[in-house]
Amino acid sequence: MQTFAAIDIGSNSCRLKIARVVQHRLRVVHEDREVTRLGGSVFETGLVSPESMAATLSALKRFYKAVQIHGADQVRAVATAAMRDARNGRAFLAWVRDETGWDVEIISGLEEGRLIHRGVMSNEPGTSGRCILIDVGGGSCEISLSDRKRIRETVSLPLGAVRLTEEFLKTDPPTKEEIARMKQFISRELRKAARRIHAERISLVIATSGTAAALSEASKVINRVRPTKKEYIAPSQDVRRLADKLTKMNNETRSGVAGIGPRRSEIIVAGAHVYAQLLDHFSLPGFRYSDMGLRDGILSQMLAEQ
Ligand code: G4P
């Protein structure tokens, strides 16, 4: 029985998923995740800070132990926006190699979009029409257009929640000017995306990662929907209202909003505005959260190449 491990070194969190191949299908045997904010200083100074390097390495060492315990035959580790941008990214990954033996690949935004699409679609048996996939991560935002489960177009924009917070939102709560500047930047990037992504005849919008999870959960609370409802569509109107409401709060108050976790509250204002503007820009009615993502795309590809 083959066992695969996928590791995603993101700008906000590091994630591990280990799966066993049982009758040509993947069965997840272990998952782990740690917020290490690798992108935290990168988007401001161009360098990964010693603190986030240490936090990331400590998470990766824990992942390494799990990979050994589960006897993974193949490991693929990828890094995204923070490592793409950091001047000391390669030095950090050399350190990771010394500690774990893993050759971490720095993947492009387009490859990231492709793998997310693959991961999401591996768990969408009933989805057949045209879909938009949105992933707002820590450093970048991938938008993909999918038709009958085939990827037609992907764009990767510098609209990650950690990046935008570092770049624009210096005050807590943010000032009107900070928000206005950030919104202007988001609009400019979305106009670029609209040249490639034509959101016509869309039957479903699927969003992945922590920002989407938090907004979907907060929307469920507003509408008194049970938290376990998987097929829930978070309406654009809720996202817009949440973005406005969270903007007026300081971090402490935001972390008390139902659905928003304590670390998420630090970056949710930026993430919520990306979703609000994106849904508005493409005239989308809302999104459904999927807990699949990059790691699942890696595992699905490993299975296909077996
Ligand atoms: P990110 O770095 O790309 O922003 O995502 P991150 O890994 O932090 O988040 C993805 C996972 O964490 C998802 O769970 C999501 O449900 C959860 N999550 C993160 N932040 C929040 C939040 O503020 N509120 C809520 N409700 N959920 C959040 P998962 O991958 O399915 O794993 P698990 O942690 O649920 O087991």
Side-chain angles (χ1 to χ4, degrees), residues 1 4 27 54 90 95 107 131 170 216 283:
M1 234 186 307
F4 300 141
R27 187 197 292 159
R90 293 200 180 267
W95 189 19
I107 58 168
C131 302
K170 315 270 185 199
S216 172
S283 304

Side-chain angles (χ1 to χ4, degrees), residues 164-183:
L164 293 176
T165 306
E166 293 295 317
E167 216 164 304
F168 295 98
L169 310 181
K170 315 270 185 199
T171 319
D172 184 33
T175 64
K176 281 193 176 128
E177 292 72 28
E178 287 171 343
I179 292 290
R181 274 203 301 276
M182 181 181 74
K183 285 174 81 169

Side-chain angles (χ1 to χ4, degrees), residues 12-13 15 33 209-210 213-214 217 259-261 264 289 291 295:
N12 181 53
S13 67
R15 303 183 239 186
R33 161 180 167 266
S209 290
E217 188 104 348
I260 313 289
R264 183 69 39 194
Y289 169 68
D291 62 6
R295 293 172 304 176

Side-chain angles (χ1 to χ4, degrees), residues 266-277:
E266 297 162 7
I267 57 171
I268 192 68
V269 172
H273 279 283
V274 174
Y275 271 102
Q277 285 181 251

Side-chain angles (χ1 to χ4, degrees), residues 8 10-15 17 31-37 112 135-140 161-162 208-218 230 257-265 267-268 289-292 295-296:
D8 163 12
S11 308
N12 181 53
S13 67
C14 290
R15 303 183 239 186
K17 205 173 248 190
E31 280 187 80
D32 198 355
R33 161 180 167 266
E34 177 94 32
V35 175
T36 64
R37 288 277 150 86
E112 192 177 347
D135 184 276
V136 173
S140 62
V162 175
T208 47
S209 290
T211 296
L215 291 171
S216 172
E217 188 104 348
K230 287 251 182 215
V257 173
I260 313 289
R263 296 300 311 270
R264 183 69 39 194
S265 64
I267 57 171
I268 192 68
Y289 169 68
S290 163
D291 62 6
M292 304 299 276
R295 293 172 304 176
D296 306 280

Side-chain angles (χ1 to χ4, degrees), residues 76-90:
R76 187 177 173 198
V78 304
T80 54
M83 289 294 100
R84 291 199 283 269
D85 288 14
R87 289 199 301 279
N88 58 349
R90 293 200 180 267

